Amino acid sequence: MSWSVQPSTENGPDGRTAFTYELEPGATVSDVVRVNNFSDTPQTFRVYSQDAINTPEGSFSLLEGSETPVDVGLWAAVSHDSVEVPAGGHVDLPFTLTVPANATPGDHAGGIVASLTDVVTEEDDNQVLVENRVGARIYLRVGGDLAPSVRIQSVSASFDGGWIPFAGGSLSVTYELENTGNVRLTGSQLVDVEGPLGVALKSVHPDDLPELLPGQKYTVTTEATGVQRLGRLTARVSIDPASLNVPEGSVEPPDVSAVASVWAVPWPELLVLLVIVVLLVLLRRRSRGRRRRAAEAIAAAEARGRAAAAAELGTSRIVAVLTAGVLALLGLAGLAGPAVAGERPAPGEMDVTVTVPSPSPTGSDSGSDSGSVGGTGDADGGEGEHPPTGADLAGWAGIGVLLVVFGTLLARPLRRTGAGAGEAAA
Protein backbone atom coordinates (compact mmCIF):
# COMPACT_ATOMS: atom_id res chain seq x y z
CA MET A 1 0.00 0.00 0.00
CA SER A 2 1.19 3.49 -0.84
CA TRP A 3 -0.53 6.86 -0.42
CA SER A 4 0.20 10.52 0.34
CA VAL A 5 -1.34 13.71 1.73
CA GLN A 6 -0.56 17.14 0.29
CA PRO A 7 -1.83 20.74 0.23
CA SER A 8 -4.21 21.42 -2.61
CA THR A 9 -6.78 23.85 -3.92
CA GLU A 10 -10.14 23.55 -5.66
CA ASN A 11 -8.13 23.34 -8.89
CA GLY A 12 -5.55 20.86 -7.62
CA PRO A 13 -2.13 21.02 -5.89
CA ASP A 14 -0.32 24.36 -6.06
CA GLY A 15 3.22 23.20 -5.18
CA ARG A 16 3.10 23.82 -1.46
CA THR A 17 4.84 21.30 0.80
CA ALA A 18 3.04 22.39 4.00
CA PHE A 19 0.10 24.53 5.10
CA THR A 20 1.64 27.81 6.30
CA TYR A 21 -0.47 30.60 7.82
CA GLU A 22 -0.02 33.86 9.68
CA LEU A 23 -3.24 34.74 11.45
CA GLU A 24 -4.41 36.96 14.23
CA PRO A 25 -6.28 35.58 17.23
CA GLY A 26 -9.91 34.85 16.29
CA ALA A 27 -9.19 34.59 12.53
CA THR A 28 -10.34 31.67 10.31
CA VAL A 29 -8.85 30.26 7.13
CA SER A 30 -10.21 27.64 4.67
CA ASP A 31 -8.07 25.31 2.62
CA VAL A 32 -8.04 21.96 0.79
CA VAL A 33 -6.11 18.76 1.48
CA ARG A 34 -5.68 16.01 -1.13
CA VAL A 35 -5.37 12.28 -0.36
CA ASN A 36 -3.67 10.22 -3.08
CA ASN A 37 -4.05 6.42 -3.40
CA PHE A 38 -1.15 4.94 -5.39
CA SER A 39 -2.21 1.29 -4.89
CA ASP A 40 -4.16 -0.81 -7.39
CA THR A 41 -7.14 -1.31 -5.05
CA PRO A 42 -9.55 1.18 -3.51
CA GLN A 43 -8.77 2.16 0.08
CA THR A 44 -10.71 3.83 2.84
CA PHE A 45 -8.63 6.22 4.90
CA ARG A 46 -9.29 7.81 8.24
CA VAL A 47 -8.70 11.57 8.00
CA TYR A 48 -8.10 13.82 11.03
CA SER A 49 -5.98 16.72 12.33
CA GLN A 50 -3.50 16.43 15.20
CA ASP A 51 -0.94 18.47 17.20
CA ALA A 52 2.73 18.28 16.27
CA ILE A 53 5.54 17.24 18.61
CA ASN A 54 9.25 16.55 18.48
CA THR A 55 10.47 13.03 19.10
CA PRO A 56 13.30 12.60 21.64
CA GLU A 57 15.64 12.44 18.64
CA GLY A 58 14.31 15.77 17.35
CA SER A 59 12.21 14.58 14.43
CA PHE A 60 8.91 16.22 13.53
CA SER A 61 5.98 13.99 14.42
CA LEU A 62 2.31 14.07 15.40
CA LEU A 63 0.52 12.82 18.48
CA GLU A 64 -1.05 9.39 18.27
CA GLY A 65 -4.54 9.32 16.79
CA SER A 66 -5.96 8.15 20.11
CA GLU A 67 -4.74 11.28 21.93
CA THR A 68 -6.83 14.43 22.18
CA PRO A 69 -5.32 17.52 20.50
CA VAL A 70 -5.17 20.88 22.32
CA ASP A 71 -3.60 23.18 19.74
CA VAL A 72 -3.67 23.27 15.94
CA GLY A 73 -5.08 19.75 15.82
CA LEU A 74 -8.07 21.03 17.75
CA TRP A 75 -8.41 24.25 15.75
CA ALA A 76 -8.48 22.52 12.32
CA ALA A 77 -11.65 20.74 11.20
CA VAL A 78 -11.72 18.43 8.15
CA SER A 79 -15.01 18.02 6.31
CA HIS A 80 -14.90 14.19 6.49
CA ASP A 81 -13.56 11.81 9.12
CA SER A 82 -12.96 9.12 6.51
CA VAL A 83 -12.80 8.94 2.76
CA GLU A 84 -12.69 6.18 0.15
CA VAL A 85 -10.13 6.80 -2.54
CA PRO A 86 -10.26 4.75 -5.75
CA ALA A 87 -7.27 2.77 -6.96
CA GLY A 88 -4.72 5.14 -8.47
CA GLY A 89 -6.99 8.11 -7.72
CA HIS A 90 -7.28 10.98 -5.26
CA VAL A 91 -9.85 12.93 -3.27
CA ASP A 92 -9.74 16.64 -2.28
CA LEU A 93 -11.19 17.43 1.12
CA PRO A 94 -11.89 20.99 2.34
CA PHE A 95 -11.09 22.00 5.91
CA THR A 96 -11.09 25.14 8.06
CA LEU A 97 -8.71 26.42 10.71
CA THR A 98 -10.02 28.82 13.33
CA VAL A 99 -7.62 30.56 15.73
CA PRO A 100 -9.06 31.04 19.21
CA ALA A 101 -9.22 34.60 20.48
CA ASN A 102 -6.98 33.69 23.41
CA ALA A 103 -4.35 31.92 21.31
CA THR A 104 -0.79 32.74 22.40
CA PRO A 105 1.44 34.65 19.97
CA GLY A 106 4.07 32.74 18.08
CA ASP A 107 4.37 29.46 16.26
CA HIS A 108 1.91 26.56 16.51
CA ALA A 109 2.30 23.33 14.55
CA GLY A 110 0.16 20.36 13.63
CA GLY A 111 -0.90 18.29 10.66
CA ILE A 112 -3.69 16.59 8.71
CA VAL A 113 -3.39 12.81 8.58
CA ALA A 114 -4.71 10.03 6.35
CA SER A 115 -4.24 6.66 8.02
CA LEU A 116 -4.90 2.96 7.52
CA THR A 117 -5.23 0.49 10.36
CA ASP A 118 -4.07 -3.07 9.87
CA VAL A 119 -4.36 -6.14 12.08
CA VAL A 120 -0.92 -7.64 12.66
CA THR A 121 -0.31 -11.08 14.19
CA GLU A 122 2.78 -11.24 16.37
CA GLU A 123 5.04 -14.28 16.97
CA ASP A 124 3.04 -15.33 20.03
CA ASP A 125 -0.15 -15.26 17.91
CA ASN A 126 -1.36 -12.07 19.55
CA GLN A 127 -3.15 -9.73 17.17
CA VAL A 128 -2.55 -5.97 17.44
CA LEU A 129 -3.83 -2.96 15.53
CA VAL A 130 -1.10 -0.99 13.76
CA GLU A 131 -1.89 2.49 12.42
CA ASN A 132 0.03 3.50 9.32
CA ARG A 133 -0.37 7.18 8.59
CA VAL A 134 0.86 9.89 6.31
CA GLY A 135 0.27 13.61 6.97
CA ALA A 136 0.81 17.13 5.71
CA ARG A 137 2.27 19.68 8.14
CA ILE A 138 0.52 22.81 9.35
CA TYR A 139 2.61 25.81 10.48
CA LEU A 140 0.56 28.58 12.08
CA ARG A 141 2.01 31.82 13.41
CA VAL A 142 -0.33 33.80 15.61
CA GLY A 143 0.23 37.53 15.60
CA GLY A 144 1.96 39.14 18.58
CA ASP A 145 5.41 39.56 20.08
CA LEU A 146 7.99 36.93 19.20
CA ALA A 147 10.28 35.78 22.02
CA PRO A 148 12.70 33.10 20.84
CA SER A 149 14.75 31.30 23.51
CA VAL A 150 16.22 27.91 24.25
CA ARG A 151 17.46 26.24 27.41
CA ILE A 152 19.99 23.48 28.09
CA GLN A 153 19.14 21.11 30.90
CA SER A 154 19.98 17.67 32.21
CA VAL A 155 23.63 17.76 31.10
CA SER A 156 25.62 14.63 31.94
CA ALA A 157 28.97 13.18 30.92
CA SER A 158 30.60 9.76 31.11
CA PHE A 159 34.12 8.62 30.27
CA ASP A 160 35.24 5.27 28.86
CA GLY A 161 39.01 5.13 28.84
CA GLY A 162 39.85 1.47 28.24
CA TRP A 163 43.19 0.07 29.40
CA ILE A 164 45.57 1.08 26.61
CA PRO A 165 48.05 3.61 28.05
CA PHE A 166 48.25 7.03 26.38
CA ALA A 167 45.63 6.06 23.77
CA GLY A 168 42.93 8.31 25.21
CA GLY A 169 39.31 7.46 25.72
CA SER A 170 35.79 8.43 24.73
CA LEU A 171 33.83 11.14 26.49
CA SER A 172 30.09 10.86 25.98
CA VAL A 173 27.97 13.95 26.64
CA THR A 174 24.17 13.89 26.83
CA TYR A 175 22.00 16.96 27.25
CA GLU A 176 18.43 18.05 26.66
CA LEU A 177 17.40 21.16 24.76
CA GLU A 178 14.05 22.81 25.40
CA ASN A 179 12.47 25.49 23.23
CA THR A 180 11.27 27.87 25.94
CA GLY A 181 10.25 30.57 23.46
CA ASN A 182 7.35 30.89 21.02
CA VAL A 183 9.27 30.53 17.74
CA ARG A 184 10.50 27.45 15.91
CA LEU A 185 14.27 27.18 16.29
CA THR A 186 17.33 25.62 14.77
CA GLY A 187 20.99 26.40 15.36
CA SER A 188 24.53 25.10 15.71
CA GLN A 189 25.99 23.08 18.56
CA LEU A 190 29.49 22.86 20.01
CA VAL A 191 30.92 20.64 22.74
CA ASP A 192 34.37 21.58 24.11
CA VAL A 193 36.23 19.15 26.33
CA GLU A 194 38.60 20.81 28.79
CA GLY A 195 41.10 19.41 31.24
CA PRO A 196 42.40 20.86 34.51
CA LEU A 197 43.01 24.63 34.49
CA GLY A 198 40.89 24.94 31.34
CA VAL A 199 43.31 23.12 29.03
CA ALA A 200 41.53 22.47 25.71
CA LEU A 201 41.52 18.78 24.81
CA LYS A 202 38.86 18.24 22.14
CA SER A 203 36.05 20.00 20.28
CA VAL A 204 33.04 18.28 18.74
CA HIS A 205 30.45 19.85 16.42
CA PRO A 206 27.21 17.85 16.54
CA ASP A 207 24.72 18.23 13.70
CA ASP A 208 22.71 21.43 13.59
CA LEU A 209 19.56 21.47 15.63
CA PRO A 210 16.54 20.03 13.89
CA GLU A 211 13.35 22.01 13.76
CA LEU A 212 12.56 22.46 17.46
CA LEU A 213 8.95 23.44 18.09
CA PRO A 214 7.92 25.78 20.93
CA GLY A 215 7.54 23.91 24.19
CA GLN A 216 9.24 20.80 22.82
CA LYS A 217 12.40 19.07 24.01
CA TYR A 218 15.21 17.41 22.12
CA THR A 219 17.81 15.05 23.59
CA VAL A 220 21.33 15.20 22.14
CA THR A 221 24.07 12.62 22.70
CA THR A 222 27.52 13.25 21.26
CA GLU A 223 30.89 11.60 21.74
CA ALA A 224 34.43 12.97 21.78
CA THR A 225 37.11 10.36 21.07
CA GLY A 226 40.83 10.43 21.75
CA VAL A 227 40.44 12.38 25.00
CA GLN A 228 43.44 11.94 27.28
CA ARG A 229 42.95 10.96 30.91
CA LEU A 230 43.93 14.05 32.85
CA GLY A 231 41.81 13.69 35.96
CA ARG A 232 38.81 16.00 36.17
CA LEU A 233 37.38 16.70 32.69
CA THR A 234 34.76 19.33 31.84
CA ALA A 235 32.37 19.17 28.89
CA ARG A 236 31.13 22.62 27.90
CA VAL A 237 28.01 22.64 25.70
CA SER A 238 27.38 25.80 23.65
CA ILE A 239 24.27 26.42 21.55
CA ASP A 240 23.95 29.20 18.97
CA PRO A 241 20.19 29.12 18.18
CA ALA A 242 18.47 30.73 15.19
CA SER A 243 14.78 31.47 14.66
CA LEU A 244 12.97 29.96 11.68
CA ASN A 245 10.83 32.00 9.31
CA VAL A 246 10.99 35.33 11.17
CA PRO A 247 10.91 38.81 9.59
CA GLU A 248 14.21 40.52 9.01
CA GLY A 249 15.31 42.49 12.04
CA SER A 250 13.49 40.27 14.50
CA VAL A 251 15.07 39.51 17.87
CA GLU A 252 17.39 36.51 17.73
CA PRO A 253 17.55 34.06 20.62
CA PRO A 254 20.60 34.44 22.91
CA ASP A 255 23.40 31.90 22.98
CA VAL A 256 23.31 29.45 25.86
CA SER A 257 25.86 27.12 27.43
CA ALA A 258 26.12 24.53 30.18
CA VAL A 259 28.84 22.33 31.66
CA ALA A 260 29.19 18.85 33.05
CA SER A 261 32.24 17.30 34.70
CA VAL A 262 33.51 13.76 34.98
CA TRP A 263 36.62 12.06 36.37
CA ALA A 264 39.02 10.47 33.93
CA VAL A 265 41.60 8.86 36.20
CA PRO A 266 44.69 7.78 34.23
CA TRP A 267 44.90 4.30 35.74
CA PRO A 268 46.87 2.72 32.84
CA GLU A 269 49.32 5.62 32.77
CA LEU A 270 49.73 5.51 36.56
CA LEU A 271 50.41 1.78 36.36
CA VAL A 272 53.10 2.33 33.71
CA LEU A 273 54.60 5.13 35.82
CA LEU A 274 54.62 2.88 38.88
CA VAL A 275 56.43 0.14 36.95
CA ILE A 276 59.02 2.68 35.73
CA VAL A 277 59.56 4.03 39.26
CA VAL A 278 60.00 0.52 40.67
CA LEU A 279 62.51 -0.33 37.94
CA LEU A 280 64.44 2.89 38.57
CA VAL A 281 64.53 2.20 42.32
CA LEU A 282 65.76 -1.35 41.74
CA LEU A 283 68.40 -0.17 39.27
CA ARG A 284 69.52 2.55 41.67
CA ARG A 285 69.80 0.08 44.53
CA ARG A 286 71.73 -2.32 42.35
CA SER A 287 74.07 0.46 41.20
CA ARG A 288 74.59 1.69 44.75
CA GLY A 289 75.36 -1.88 45.87
CA ARG A 290 77.91 -2.32 43.12
CA ARG A 291 79.51 1.03 43.94
CA ARG A 292 79.60 0.13 47.65
CA ARG A 293 81.20 -3.25 46.94
CA ALA A 294 83.71 -1.61 44.59
CA ALA A 295 84.52 1.04 47.21
CA GLU A 296 84.99 -1.65 49.85
CA ALA A 297 87.27 -3.63 47.54
CA ILE A 298 89.30 -0.48 46.76
CA ALA A 299 89.53 0.40 50.46
CA ALA A 300 90.66 -3.13 51.31
CA ALA A 301 93.26 -3.05 48.55
CA GLU A 302 94.49 0.35 49.74
CA ALA A 303 94.69 -0.93 53.32
CA ARG A 304 96.67 -3.97 52.22
CA GLY A 305 98.93 -1.73 50.16
CA ARG A 306 99.50 0.64 53.08
CA ALA A 307 100.21 -2.29 55.40
CA ALA A 308 102.66 -3.81 52.94
CA ALA A 309 104.34 -0.46 52.35
CA ALA A 310 104.54 0.21 56.08
CA ALA A 311 106.04 -3.22 56.70
CA GLU A 312 108.58 -2.75 53.93
CA LEU A 313 109.41 0.73 55.19
CA GLY A 314 109.78 -0.54 58.75
CA THR A 315 112.09 -3.31 57.63
CA SER A 316 114.21 -0.89 55.60
CA ARG A 317 114.45 1.51 58.50
CA ILE A 318 115.39 -1.24 60.92
CA VAL A 319 118.17 -2.36 58.58
CA ALA A 320 119.29 1.23 58.13
CA VAL A 321 119.24 1.88 61.88
CA LEU A 322 121.14 -1.32 62.62
CA THR A 323 123.68 -0.48 59.95
CA ALA A 324 124.05 3.01 61.35
CA GLY A 325 124.43 1.60 64.85
CA VAL A 326 127.13 -0.80 63.75
CA LEU A 327 128.92 1.96 61.96
CA ALA A 328 128.61 4.21 65.01
CA LEU A 329 129.99 1.51 67.27
CA LEU A 330 132.88 0.93 64.90
CA GLY A 331 133.55 4.65 64.94
CA LEU A 332 133.58 4.74 68.71
CA ALA A 333 135.95 1.79 68.77
CA GLY A 334 138.25 3.66 66.44
CA LEU A 335 138.16 6.74 68.66
CA ALA A 336 138.91 4.71 71.77
CA GLY A 337 141.90 2.96 70.18
CA PRO A 338 144.45 5.74 70.66
CA ALA A 339 143.57 6.08 74.30
CA VAL A 340 144.12 2.35 74.86
CA ALA A 341 147.34 2.40 72.85
CA GLY A 342 149.19 5.02 74.85
CA GLU A 343 147.92 8.18 76.26
CA ARG A 344 145.20 7.24 78.74
CA PRO A 345 143.52 4.10 79.86
CA ALA A 346 139.87 3.73 79.22
CA PRO A 347 137.61 4.29 82.15
CA GLY A 348 137.59 1.34 84.50
CA GLU A 349 140.87 -0.08 83.18
CA MET A 350 144.19 -0.46 85.12
CA ASP A 351 147.71 0.30 84.13
CA VAL A 352 149.75 -2.86 84.02
CA THR A 353 153.55 -2.63 84.04
CA VAL A 354 155.51 -5.74 83.27
CA THR A 355 159.26 -5.77 83.99
CA VAL A 356 161.17 -8.48 82.32
CA PRO A 357 164.58 -9.19 83.93
CA SER A 358 167.46 -9.03 81.57
CA PRO A 359 170.17 -11.66 81.87
CA SER A 360 173.30 -10.45 83.61
CA PRO A 361 176.57 -12.21 83.41
CA THR A 362 177.43 -11.14 86.86
CA GLY A 363 174.10 -12.18 88.42
CA SER A 364 173.71 -8.94 90.28
CA ASP A 365 171.40 -6.01 89.70
CA SER A 366 170.84 -2.83 91.45
CA GLY A 367 167.13 -3.33 91.64
CA SER A 368 164.92 -6.16 92.62
CA ASP A 369 164.97 -9.19 90.40
CA SER A 370 161.32 -9.69 90.72
CA GLY A 371 158.74 -7.51 89.00
CA SER A 372 155.33 -6.56 90.14
CA VAL A 373 152.35 -7.74 88.14
CA GLY A 374 148.89 -6.45 88.72
CA GLY A 375 149.71 -3.22 90.45
CA THR A 376 147.20 -0.43 90.20
CA GLY A 377 149.50 2.51 90.36
CA ASP A 378 150.86 5.02 87.92
CA ALA A 379 154.37 5.40 86.60
CA ASP A 380 155.43 6.80 89.89
CA GLY A 381 154.41 3.62 91.68
CA GLY A 382 151.08 5.05 93.06
CA GLU A 383 148.11 2.67 93.45
CA GLY A 384 144.32 3.15 92.42
CA GLU A 385 142.18 3.99 89.35
CA HIS A 386 142.70 6.88 87.00
CA PRO A 387 140.17 9.62 87.59
CA PRO A 388 137.71 10.18 84.63
CA THR A 389 138.80 12.85 82.25
CA GLY A 390 136.68 15.14 79.92
CA ALA A 391 137.23 12.78 77.02
CA ASP A 392 135.83 9.91 79.07
CA LEU A 393 132.67 11.85 79.91
CA ALA A 394 132.22 12.91 76.28
CA GLY A 395 132.49 9.31 75.13
CA TRP A 396 129.91 8.14 77.60
CA ALA A 397 127.54 10.92 76.63
CA GLY A 398 127.98 10.10 72.94
CA ILE A 399 127.17 6.48 73.57
CA GLY A 400 123.99 7.46 75.46
CA VAL A 401 122.85 9.81 72.68
CA LEU A 402 123.43 7.12 70.09
CA LEU A 403 121.41 4.64 72.15
CA VAL A 404 118.45 7.11 72.44
CA VAL A 405 118.56 7.87 68.72
CA PHE A 406 118.71 4.20 67.80
CA GLY A 407 115.83 3.39 70.13
CA THR A 408 113.63 6.17 68.67
CA LEU A 409 114.36 5.17 65.09
CA LEU A 410 113.58 1.56 65.91
CA ALA A 411 110.30 2.39 67.70
CA ARG A 412 108.78 4.59 64.91
CA PRO A 413 108.75 1.96 62.12
CA LEU A 414 107.54 -0.64 64.58
CA ARG A 415 104.57 1.59 65.60
CA ARG A 416 103.68 2.35 61.94
CA THR A 417 103.87 -1.33 61.07
CA GLY A 418 101.49 -2.14 63.93
CA ALA A 419 99.05 0.65 62.91
CA GLY A 420 99.06 -0.46 59.28
CA ALA A 421 98.34 -4.03 60.30
CA GLY A 422 95.43 -2.81 62.47
CA GLU A 423 93.86 -0.86 59.55
CA ALA A 424 94.19 -3.85 57.28
CA ALA A 425 92.51 -6.02 59.87
CA ALA A 426 89.67 -3.47 60.23
Side-chain angles (χ1 to χ4, degrees):
M1 297 297 300
S2 178
W3 69 99
S4 69
V5 178
Q6 66 183 119
S8 185
T9 66
E10 294 179 353
N11 301 320
D14 56 2
R16 292 178 295 171
T17 58
F19 298 103
T20 303
Y21 310 110
E22 292 187 8
L23 301 173
E24 295 297 325
T28 300
V29 64
S30 298
D31 214 327
V32 177
V33 61
R34 172 172 287 190
V35 180
N36 299 293
N37 180 10
F38 301 115
S39 64
D40 53 1
T41 58
Q43 298 294 329
T44 299
F45 298 96
R46 177 192 175 196
V47 181
Y48 61 94
S49 59
Q50 187 59 281
D51 294 337
I53 60 171
N54 283 112
T55 65
E57 295 77 22
S59 301
F60 184 98
S61 185
L62 298 174
L63 292 176
E64 297 293 335
S66 59
E67 298 187 40
T68 303
V70 296
D71 201 74
V72 169
L74 178 63
W75 303 342
V78 185
S79 59
H80 296 81
D81 293 339
S82 64
V83 61
E84 182 178 352
V85 182
H90 62 269
V91 173
D92 291 326
L93 299 175
F95 72 93
T96 59
L97 193 155
T98 301
V99 181
N102 61 350
T104 58
D107 291 338
H108 302 261
I112 297 178
V113 176
S115 68
L116 288 175
T117 302
D118 293 336
V119 178
V120 177
T121 302
E122 296 181 335
E123 293 181 356
D124 54 0
D125 295 332
N126 290 330
Q127 292 184 336
V128 295
L129 296 177
V130 177
E131 182 184 24
N132 301 287
R133 57 184 184 170
V134 178
R137 300 183 184 187
I138 298 175
Y139 291 118
L140 168 65
R141 175 164 290 171
V142 178
D145 294 335
L146 302 180
S149 65
V150 66
R151 179 174 62 186
I152 304 174
Q153 57 186 9
S154 302
V155 185
S156 63
S158 62
F159 185 81
D160 182 11
W163 287 98
I164 302 177
F166 309 105
S170 298
L171 179 68
S172 179
V173 183
T174 301
Y175 53 94
E176 187 177 71
L177 297 177
E178 181 181 6
N179 187 343
T180 56
N182 59 3
V183 180
R184 292 181 293 135
L185 295 176
T186 185
S188 60
Q189 307 179 79
L190 175 64
V191 177
D192 291 318
V193 181
E194 301 173 353
L197 303 178
V199 177
L201 300 179
K202 199 79 173 182
S203 293
V204 179
H205 295 268
D207 295 337
D208 288 348
L209 292 177
E211 180 184 35
L212 190 59
L213 303 175
Q216 295 298 306
K217 298 178 180 180
Y218 165 48
T219 301
V220 181
T221 299
T222 188
E223 188 175 274
T225 59
V227 179
Q228 294 299 324
R229 309 172 185 84
L230 296 180
R232 192 68 171 173
L233 303 181
T234 299
R236 186 178 304 277
V237 179
S238 301
I239 304 297
D240 182 14
S243 300
L244 288 174
N245 193 31
V246 295
E248 186 176 354
S250 298
V251 177
E252 288 294 333
D255 296 349
V256 293
S257 63
V259 297
S261 298
V262 64
W263 281 101
V265 181
W267 295 119
E269 290 80 2
L270 291 176
L271 182 59
V272 171
L273 181 60
L274 178 61
V275 172
I276 293 175
V277 170
V278 170
L279 290 177
L280 290 177
V281 170
L282 293 178
L283 290 175
R284 184 177 180 182
R285 287 184 178 179
R286 183 178 179 183
S287 177
R288 290 176 62 182
R290 287 192 296 185
R291 288 198 301 267
R292 184 176 63 254
R293 289 191 294 272
E296 292 174 353
I298 293 174
E302 291 178 350
R304 289 194 297 270
R306 285 194 298 268
E312 183 178 356
L313 179 61
T315 302
S316 300
R317 287 191 176 184
I318 291 172
V319 173
V321 169
L322 292 176
T323 303
V326 171
L327 293 177
L329 292 175
L330 291 176
L332 289 175
L335 291 175
V340 174
E343 294 182 359
R344 292 185 302 273
E349 295 183 356
M350 300 174 58
D351 289 335
V352 178
T353 303
V354 179
T355 303
V356 178
S358 58
S360 174
T362 58
S364 63
D365 193 3
S366 59
S368 174
D369 58 357
S370 62
S372 61
V373 179
T376 59
D378 56 9
D380 295 332
E383 295 181 355
E385 297 178 355
H386 292 283
T389 64
D392 296 332
L393 295 177
W396 294 339
I399 293 172
V401 170
L402 287 175
L403 291 176
V404 171
V405 172
F406 292 161
T408 303
L409 294 177
L410 285 172
R412 290 181 62 188
L414 291 175
R415 284 199 303 271
R416 290 185 180 179
T417 304
E423 293 180 0

